Amino acid sequence: MAMIDTYKNNLTRKRQEIVKLSSDKAKESGKIQPLKAKIISAKSAISRSKQTSTIKSKLSEIERHEKSLAAIDKNIARIEGKIAAKEKEIAAEEKKILQEQNKIDTQRIKAEESRLKTYNRRMESFNHSLQQQNDIQTQLADEIEQLKYVPEKITVLFFATNPHNTDRLRLDEEVRSIQEMIRKSEHRDSIIFESRWAVRPLDILQAINELNPDVVHFSGHGASTGDLVLENADGTAKVVSKEAITQTIMTSSDKIHLLFFNACFSFEQAQFISEYVDAAIGMTTSIGDKAAVAFAAQFYSSLGFGFPVQKAFEQAKGVLMLESPNEKDTPALYLKDGVDANILYIVRPNSTN
């Protein structure tokens, strides 16, 4: 039994005891008036009688009744004392009940606060899970919508330039590795790989007009200014500004989604042109032949397996960490505003061509 119930039972019992004491007091008080009436009657008889025996008898009667009245007064005083004591006990029990009720109310409030906190935590967890599900559904919807615009076949246009008055690059090895990795990929028949060599400035526009590619890849030398090195008619180096390259590409095709500049210091070129295409890759500093070949080959392999650009880029960097760890941070990916590389597909994942 709870303490408050014990206190309430005690209070009920003590109130019942007061009721009984009050009843006993009333009974005692009810005896007073008849005795007083008898005393008055006896006194009246004395005043009327001249017989000594009668007077003596009535005096004895009066004395007896007065003793009874005294006893009654004593009983009433004793009962009133008990009532006063019980009233103090009742006040004490009521105080205990109030204190215990305050404890119960405090515990109830704390329990309710704890319950609300638990409920709020669960609701937060539920809302978080719901938001995650909504985000997943939104991402899936975005990916499905994005895939609607991914062609079943894409063309990669590879530009190779290595003027005879520049350091020799293993561009043929890069092309061979890219083609080999594409052939090993799941959707190899979805990728058409075309290459142009010893590229001069006018060759860029001509090749893009001929092939209307989805991806354009430049491989060769880059200047520290961010410009590209192409060739003059005599095979010597010709530096072309990033503005000129961008203008040429943008006026020739609106189908290009990705530019890949596999040349030293080409990050400025990639960053500049990413304002006009979905994605561009450039190199933040110089990059060795072996690293450039490994990175490019894996990137196109990942695209060939139907992965989005972000995953393809990360996998290519993973291979670069294995082949040339010191150059793992050289490649950089740039995106047009609003483009999410995680859902940017170049090759349709479910293509069966």
Side-chain angles (χ1 to χ4, degrees):
M1 179 184 293
M3 288 302 299
I4 192 169
D5 293 329
T6 301
Y7 297 150
K8 286 180 178 179
N9 289 340
N10 291 341
L11 180 62
T12 299
R13 188 179 68 255
K14 292 179 187 300
R15 283 175 175 170
Q16 290 173 346
E17 290 174 355
I18 281 186
V19 170
K20 184 178 182 303
L21 289 170
S22 297
S23 177
D24 292 343
K25 178 184 175 182
K27 288 179 181 179
E28 291 295 315
S29 297
K31 297 176 183 179
I32 293 174
Q33 193 58 37
L35 287 173
K36 285 183 177 181
K38 290 179 179 180
I39 290 172
I40 291 171
S41 176
K43 286 181 178 181
S44 177
I46 290 173
S47 64
R48 292 192 307 269
S49 178
K50 295 186 182 280
Q51 295 182 6
T52 303
S53 59
T54 300
I55 292 172
K56 186 176 180 180
S57 174
K58 292 299 180 181
L59 286 173
S60 296
E61 183 180 337
I62 289 172
E63 184 180 0
R64 187 174 68 252
H65 291 329
E66 286 180 344
K67 285 182 179 180
S68 295
L69 285 175
I72 290 171
D73 287 340
K74 187 175 180 180
N75 285 339
I76 289 174
R78 179 177 57 78
I79 292 171
E80 287 178 343
K82 288 183 178 181
I83 290 174
K86 290 297 177 184
E87 287 176 343
K88 288 182 179 179
E89 292 176 5
I90 286 174
E93 292 297 328
E94 288 177 338
K95 184 177 180 180
K96 291 178 182 178
I97 290 172
L98 180 60
Q99 291 174 341
E100 193 65 23
Q101 187 63 52
N102 288 337
K103 288 181 182 179
I104 292 172
D105 291 342
T106 300
Q107 291 173 351
R108 181 183 57 78
I109 291 171
K110 289 182 178 179
E112 182 65 17
E113 289 175 348
S114 177
R115 187 191 68 79
L116 286 175
K117 287 181 180 179
T118 301
Y119 172 78
N120 289 334
R121 285 196 299 269
R122 289 177 178 174
M123 286 302 298
E124 287 177 3
S125 177
F126 172 77
N127 290 333
H128 180 67
S129 298
L130 186 61
Q131 184 60 49
Q132 285 183 323
Q133 291 297 322
N134 290 336
D135 291 344
I136 291 172
Q137 290 179 357
T138 300
Q139 183 176 353
L140 288 175
D142 290 343
E143 290 183 4
I144 291 172
E145 185 66 22
Q146 180 74 17
L147 290 175
K148 292 179 181 178
Y149 304 99
V150 178
E152 294 185 354
K153 285 185 178 292
I154 69 161
T155 298
V156 176
L157 177 55
F158 184 99
F159 289 118
T161 304
N162 193 178
H164 61 72
N165 58 340
T166 60
D167 295 337
R168 291 292 90 191
L169 300 174
R170 298 186 63 189
L171 302 183
D172 54 343
E173 177 61 22
E174 183 176 352
V175 170
R176 188 197 68 79
S177 296
I178 291 174
Q179 290 178 321
E180 181 180 356
M181 294 298 281
I182 290 175
R183 281 196 301 271
K184 293 178 181 179
S185 68
E186 181 179 358
H187 306 298
R188 55 186 174 275
D189 294 331
S190 296
I191 302 176
I192 301 170
F193 187 86
E194 296 282 348
S195 61
R196 297 291 186 270
W197 296 80
V199 177
R200 302 172 187 175
L202 294 181
D203 294 337
I204 296 175
L205 184 59
Q206 179 64 33
I208 292 176
N209 286 340
E210 288 178 9
L211 301 173
N212 196 20
D214 301 272
V215 178
V216 174
H217 183 118
F218 286 93
S219 191
H221 289 287
S224 59
T225 58
D227 299 328
L228 285 181
V229 177
L230 300 182
E231 291 191 17
N232 289 306
D234 60 359
T236 57
K238 179 178 179 60
V239 177
V240 179
S241 70
K242 56 183 179 292
E243 291 82 5
I245 292 293
T246 299
Q247 179 67 18
T248 300
I249 292 175
M250 291 303 97
T251 56
S252 59
S253 174
D254 57 0
K255 183 185 173 186
I256 299 171
H257 295 290
L258 172 68
L259 267 295
F260 191 137
F261 297 95
N262 205 6
C264 300
F265 305 104
S266 55
F267 73 97
E268 289 188 17
Q269 177 74 70
Q271 189 175 25
F272 185 79
I273 207 167
S274 66
E275 296 181 16
Y276 306 95
V277 297
D278 292 333
I281 295 174
M283 303 300 154
T284 57
T285 184
S286 60
I287 185 168
D289 273 359
K290 186 177 180 181
V293 170
F295 179 80
Q298 182 57 50
F299 179 79
Y300 286 106
S301 172
S302 298
L303 291 184
F305 277 98
F307 296 141
V309 169
Q310 184 66 50
K311 187 170 183 178
F313 181 77
E314 295 299 333
Q315 287 192 348
K317 286 191 68 174
V319 169
L320 193 55
M321 290 178 67
L322 296 173
E323 293 290 342
S324 183
N326 293 333
E327 297 180 280
K328 63 181 177 63
D329 294 323
T330 298
L333 173 63
Y334 301 93
L335 301 167
K336 183 193 290 186
D337 288 343
V339 172
D340 184 356
N342 290 295
I343 59 173
L344 176 60
Y345 292 89
I346 304 300
V347 177
R348 184 177 296 183
N350 60 349
S351 172
T352 57
N353 295 329

